[in-house]
């Protein structure tokens, strides 16, 4: 009986893992490309090796624009951005169930320690290659229709890809 329970548990874990992989692969393949301008933060962690801590300018734009009542009880949610000709996101509004126009995209955020977070807060790279990322000004994301985001690369002010893909 114990073996059957262990086998069922193992199948559940593998099934959930496989489903998550398929969902993320679909976002990478079919998601809309969105660039979020980076906000400056500390670029190094001695315990974790080389990485770039990420913050996004849209955090400051969207959440400073929120009224005191909105930011008081802030919870995980979505916001709507418009994309310019370079696919750079610009805050429009928090979701209000209104229809989105053709250039608008939904982005999901999480609130952690009272601060909004988009997808990730770090970009890891191979040790000794930090200088390749010093000119990064945008995080490139693939975004699903539901607003789920995956960071795919960093770009500079002229939109050129920086360094290699994340590890």
């Amino acid at each position: 009986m114990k073996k059957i329970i262990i086998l069922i548990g193992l199948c559940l874990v593998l099934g959930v893992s496989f489903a998550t992989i398929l969902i993320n692969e679909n976002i990478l393949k079919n998601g809309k490309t969105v660039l979020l301008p980076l906000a400056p933060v500390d670029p190094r962690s001695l315990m974790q090796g080389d990485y770039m801590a990420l913050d996004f300018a849209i955090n400051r734009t969207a959440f400073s624009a929120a009224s005191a009542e909105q930011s008081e009880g802030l919870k995980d949610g979505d916001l709507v951005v418009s994309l310019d000709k370079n696919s750079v996101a610009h805050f429009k509004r928090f979701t209000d169930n209104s229809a989105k126009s053709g250039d608008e995209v939904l982005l999901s955020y999480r609130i952690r320690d009272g601060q909004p977070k988009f997808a990730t807060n770090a970009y890891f790279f191979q040790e000794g290659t930090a200088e390749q990322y010093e000119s990064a000004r945008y995080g490139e994301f693939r975004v699903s229709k539901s607003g789920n985001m995956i960071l795919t690369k960093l770009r500079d002010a002229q939109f050129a890809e920086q360094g290699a893909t994340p590890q």
Side-chain angles (χ1 to χ4, degrees):
M1 185 65 173
K2 283 185 179 183
K3 288 182 182 182
I4 292 174
I5 293 172
I6 291 172
L7 186 59
I8 290 171
L10 180 62
C11 288
L12 284 172
V13 168
L14 291 175
V16 169
S17 299
F18 185 67
T20 302
I21 290 168
L22 288 178
I23 290 168
N24 288 336
E25 286 292 330
N26 186 49
I27 293 171
L28 289 171
K29 183 179 179 184
N30 300 313
K32 187 164 188 82
T33 300
V34 175
L35 301 179
L36 292 181
L38 298 174
V41 290
D42 181 27
R44 188 150 177 94
S45 166
L46 297 175
M47 296 300 289
Q48 296 180 5
D50 284 342
Y51 79 102
M52 178 181 289
L54 299 177
D55 189 15
F56 302 99
I58 199 162
N59 283 353
R60 296 169 186 169
T61 306
F63 294 94
S64 67
S67 67
E69 305 88 54
Q70 284 177 313
S71 57
E72 189 79 17
L74 211 50
K75 297 180 180 160
D76 295 1
D78 302 306
L79 54 84
V80 177
V81 297
S82 63
L83 301 181
D84 65 18
K85 66 179 180 163
N86 295 309
S87 296
V88 176
H90 302 279
F91 174 70
K92 294 280 279 211
R93 65 185 179 280
F94 288 93
T95 53
D96 56 6
N97 297 324
S98 62
K100 296 185 313 217
S101 68
D103 71 335
E104 292 181 335
V105 177
L106 193 68
L107 301 182
S108 295
Y109 62 87
R110 301 176 320 277
I111 301 299
R112 298 295 181 263
D113 299 322
Q115 299 296 316
K117 305 289 183 197
F118 290 92
T120 184
N121 63 352
Y123 185 89
F124 291 87
F125 45 82
Q126 187 173 1
E127 194 166 336
T129 62
E131 64 280 346
Q132 295 178 20
Y133 302 94
E134 289 175 354
S135 61
R137 296 297 175 261
Y138 298 94
E140 180 182 305
F141 290 86
R142 299 294 279 188
V143 181
S144 71
K145 289 181 181 182
S146 64
N148 292 328
M149 305 166 61
I150 297 176
L151 178 65
T152 55
K153 56 187 82 155
L154 298 178
R155 295 192 174 271
D156 67 12
Q158 289 75 40
F159 308 107
E161 187 176 327
Q162 299 295 286
T165 56
Q167 301 174 349

